[in-house]
Every structure is written in C-alpha cells, then in structure tokens.
Amino acid sequence: MEKRIYNFSAGPAILPEEVLKEAQQDLFSYKGAGMSVMEMSHRSKAYDEIIKSAERDLRELLGIGDNYSILFLQGGATLQFSIVPLNLMPPLNKADYIVTGAWAKKAVKEAKRVGAVNIAATTESENFARLPKADEIKLSLEASYVHYTSNNTIFGTQFTNEPEVGDVPLVCDASSDILHKKIDINKYGLIYAGAQKNMGPAGCTLVIIRKDLLERSSDSLHTYLNYKIHAENDSLYNTPPTYTVYIIGLVFKWLLKMGGLEIMYEKNLTKANLLYDYMDDSNGYYTGTAAKQDRSLMNVTFKLQNEELDKKLIAEASANGFSGLKGHRSVGGLRASIYNAFPLRGVQDLIAFMEEFKKRN
Ligand SMILES: *Cc1c(COP(=O)(O)O)cnc(C)c1O
C-alpha cells in the first residue's frame, strides 16, 4: 500500500485510517449486498440501517434526546447560512449574530436577505485575532435566535464555552469543531456543521435542531429549504448524500470505540497544547496569530518572523510529508489543522521538523 503523509488541511481534511480501511474493505460489495453503498437505493433495507445507526450513534456520542431532530442534508454549511434565517427568523425577522470570522460574516450576509441582523459583537477591527469577551456581546431584546461560530477555522480561535443567551435559541455553526468534545446539547436550539472537517468527506451537512423550533418553518418555504419537511421524512425527502453519510457513520463508530468524546477531548488537548507550548517556548521564532485565551484546539495558526521564512517552512515541510500547512490568505503564516483524526505522532513529528528548521534558519 502507498505511504500516507501528514495531512494538515483545513478541509476537506484527514479521516481516521481505520475508517478508510473499513470503507475499502466494503467498497466493492457491502456486507453481502452484492453492491457498494454508492450504488444502493436510499430506500433499501441495508441503507436504512446505515443512516439509522449513524443517527443512533450520534445521539449516543453527544447525549442527544428525543426532543431534537437530526438531519443529514446537502449544500454545505453555506446553504445553512440561508436556511437558518429562512426557517427561524420569522415572525419577528430579527436575529443576533456574533461575528468572529469570515464564515460568520457570510452567515450575516444571507441572514440580512431575510430580516434585520443585529451584530451583537464583532472583532473584525482586530482581524478576528480574538473573540469578544462576555461583556462585549450586546444582545437585542427581540431576537428570534443568536448565531455564533464555535470555531473560527481561518483565524484559529475557538469558544471554550457557549455565549450566554438566556431563553433565546442559540444557533451554532460548528463546522470545524463538532464532536471535538462533549457539549451540553440542551444549551442549543440548532447546531449545523459541514461534514468535511471533523466528521467525514464533503457532501453532507449535519443539522441538529430542537423539535419545538420546527414549528417556525413556514409552509410557504421552498420544500428543500424547510427543516420540518426533512425532519418529517427522516432526511429522506429526497436522495441524501448516501456515501458520505455511510462514512460519517463509520467515523461515529470509531469515536465510540475509542471511548467517546471525553477521551477525544483529552487527545485534542494534548495535541494542541504540545504545539502551542512548543511555539511559546521558541523565544519568538514561532508566534501564534490568535489571542492566547481564545486559541483553537483544531486550527493552530502561527507565523515566523517574515513571509520569506513562512514560505520556506511551508515548502520544506511539504517536501517532507507535511501537507496543507499554508495559512489562509487573510491571515498569512501557517495553519496546522489537527482535527480528531489527526494523530499525536504527526504533531510530534511536525514539532521535530520545526525545531530542526529553526536550527538551520
Ligand atoms: C468550512 C466552513 C464553512 C463552509 O462550509 P461549506 O460546507 O464549504 O459550505 C462554514 N463555516 C465554518 C466554520 C467552516 O469552517
């Protein structure tokens, strides 16, 4: 088998090797079905078990009760930027958005097409290098929901705790940190996440929605854009992204087998702290671009003393089997995305490489 490299890509991103091998095993013929999952009807018995067990396992991982619906949709997190306000903003057509990065700004852009958006807080003037503090968040009185981004993939910041929003439903774009730790699901009205960062391949968007909020979905909405329709049809109103759901299901089983999200979180803390501690101890050779108190466990952003060195490190790392380290153009520098599936060994090897680079340069 061909050798694999360390993939630090922000997304689509690394998958657990065990999952890839299992999928490979079942690719040609899925467990005696005589066909692959890709070729299977989404209404077949075999597929019904695949999608139902993915839902069951997700409920177990996050402790999701019957008062929430789980939807497997298409269109990426980007389509949710529109679907969320279309379904949840009425009748008042007002919502609060906490703006902590480029994805949050895109969410605001779509929400404004539906109603009035109150920017409850923004750190854009500081190029999103930090998150707003609790007392900087100014919620309005009549918001239908409060929207925030739990992990800012581009800027490398992450909320440790959910913002306090009282009784207003909290809506979270968790595309780049879903399942990195156990959360209290009851704090949320709705969580959405594109699969391709921390769950699986591209093509599926997970939506977890509290059932009472489904009552807000108006019958006048276009059918695919209506959460209630998808919930009533168990994500089978139309053809779901069948193969992606299958792989996501394998990732859920991988997480359960490992011992669940508490254990995953410990591993994520270990990996991220190793890298941040190394940077902080490098006497300014490597500096983190995100404020210390807001650093992300998923996307570690940093830079060297100048762009020449950034480029040199990226190029040499890439030639040595560390791929995807180039930072987003709006931040520059480097970004190491170390999602759930990224091995501790890869972080240790990257640090060894960075140390060797530092000595040479
Ligand atoms: C990647 C990303 C998106 C966009 O996801 P798509 O599935 O490409 O639409 C949205 N929000 C966050 C936080 C992301 O990291």
Side-chain angles (χ1 to χ4, degrees), residues 250-284:
L250 294 184
V251 171
F252 294 164
K253 287 200 192 307
W254 172 78
L255 286 165
L256 284 170
K257 200 170 146 203
M258 180 187 304
L261 298 186
E262 276 94 357
I263 300 209
M264 192 71 252
Y265 181 56
E266 289 305 316
K267 289 177 189 279
N268 285 327
L269 270 179
T270 303
K271 285 186 292 181
N273 285 338
L274 210 58
L275 194 45
Y276 285 123
D277 287 347
Y278 171 70
M279 278 162 31
D280 291 344
D281 291 343
S282 72
N283 293 319

Side-chain angles (χ1 to χ4, degrees), residues 280-292:
D280 291 344
D281 291 343
S282 72
N283 293 319
Y285 193 84
Y286 298 107
T287 41
T289 57
K292 258 189 192 177

Side-chain angles (χ1 to χ4, degrees), residues 70-343:
I70 291 172
L71 313 176
F72 298 102
L73 306 179
Q74 305 201 34
T78 299
L79 187 56
Q80 295 306 310
F81 296 163
S82 302
I83 301 188
V84 164
L86 282 168
N87 283 265
L88 299 188
M89 252 204 207
L92 286 173
N93 286 332
K94 290 180 181 170
D96 286 352
Y97 277 69
I98 299 170
V99 178
T100 53
W103 296 114
K105 277 179 72 178
K106 288 187 172 164
V108 167
K109 183 176 170 200
E110 304 308 324
K112 279 184 172 166
R113 298 181 203 272
V114 181
V117 171
N118 170 49
I119 305 296
T122 176
T123 50
E124 187 168 16
S125 64
E126 294 160 64
N127 198 30
F128 298 121
R130 68 170 184 95
L131 298 174
K133 300 195 168 44
D135 62 3
E136 292 175 297
I137 299 176
K138 306 283 185 231
L139 301 178
S140 60
L141 292 175
E142 292 185 311
S144 301
Y145 60 87
V146 180
H147 179 285
Y148 85 113
T149 315
S150 51
N151 183 70
N152 298 283
T153 326
I154 293 173
F155 299 93
T157 61
Q158 183 177 33
F159 283 86
T160 316
N161 298 301
E162 296 83 359
E164 277 302 329
V165 295
D167 290 334
V168 181
L170 182 63
V171 174
C172 178
D173 175 0
S175 291
S176 52
D177 71 349
I178 184 137
L179 299 173
H180 87 289
K181 72 171 181 186
K182 185 87 180 245
I183 52 169
D184 178 2
I185 198 79
N186 297 306
K187 291 184 174 166
Y188 297 84
L190 187 152
I191 299 175
Y192 64 91
Q196 72 273 21
K197 280 145 190 165
N198 214 13
M199 278 189 295
C204 178
T205 319
L206 175 71
V207 175
I208 305 166
I209 178 169
R210 214 175 61 212
K211 281 183 179 161
D212 61 288
L213 294 175
L214 293 170
E215 296 315 313
R216 295 193 189 180
S217 301
S218 156
D219 291 340
S220 65
L221 286 169
H222 285 241
T223 312
Y224 192 85
L225 307 182
N226 188 322
Y227 284 136
K228 201 157 134 204
I229 299 282
H230 291 296
E232 284 170 357
N233 288 279
D234 294 326
S235 301
L236 297 176
Y237 174 74
N238 71 331
T239 317
T242 51
Y243 197 76
T244 303
V245 171
Y246 158 69
I247 299 285
I248 292 171
L250 294 184
V251 171
F252 294 164
K253 287 200 192 307
W254 172 78
L255 286 165
L256 284 170
K257 200 170 146 203
M258 180 187 304
L261 298 186
E262 276 94 357
I263 300 209
M264 192 71 252
Y265 181 56
E266 289 305 316
K267 289 177 189 279
N268 285 327
L269 270 179
T270 303
K271 285 186 292 181
N273 285 338
L274 210 58
L275 194 45
Y276 285 123
D277 287 347
Y278 171 70
M279 278 162 31
D280 291 344
D281 291 343
S282 72
N283 293 319
Y285 193 84
Y286 298 107
T287 41
T289 57
K292 258 189 192 177
Q293 73 276 8
D294 299 324
R295 283 171 168 177
S296 167
L297 299 182
M298 302 279 100
N299 311 98
V300 177
T301 52
F302 62 98
K303 58 183 170 197
L304 289 84
Q305 287 99 321
N306 59 59
E307 280 179 35
E308 283 353 284
L309 276 178
D310 290 343
K311 275 193 194 142
K312 191 160 185 233
L313 176 56
I314 292 162
E316 289 187 18
S318 171
N320 283 277
F322 304 93
S323 119
L325 282 169
K326 191 172 187 300
H328 190 272
R329 61 189 178 281
S330 57
V331 183
L334 288 86
R335 169 176 55 178
S337 296
I338 47 174
Y339 299 118
N340 284 352
F342 196 91

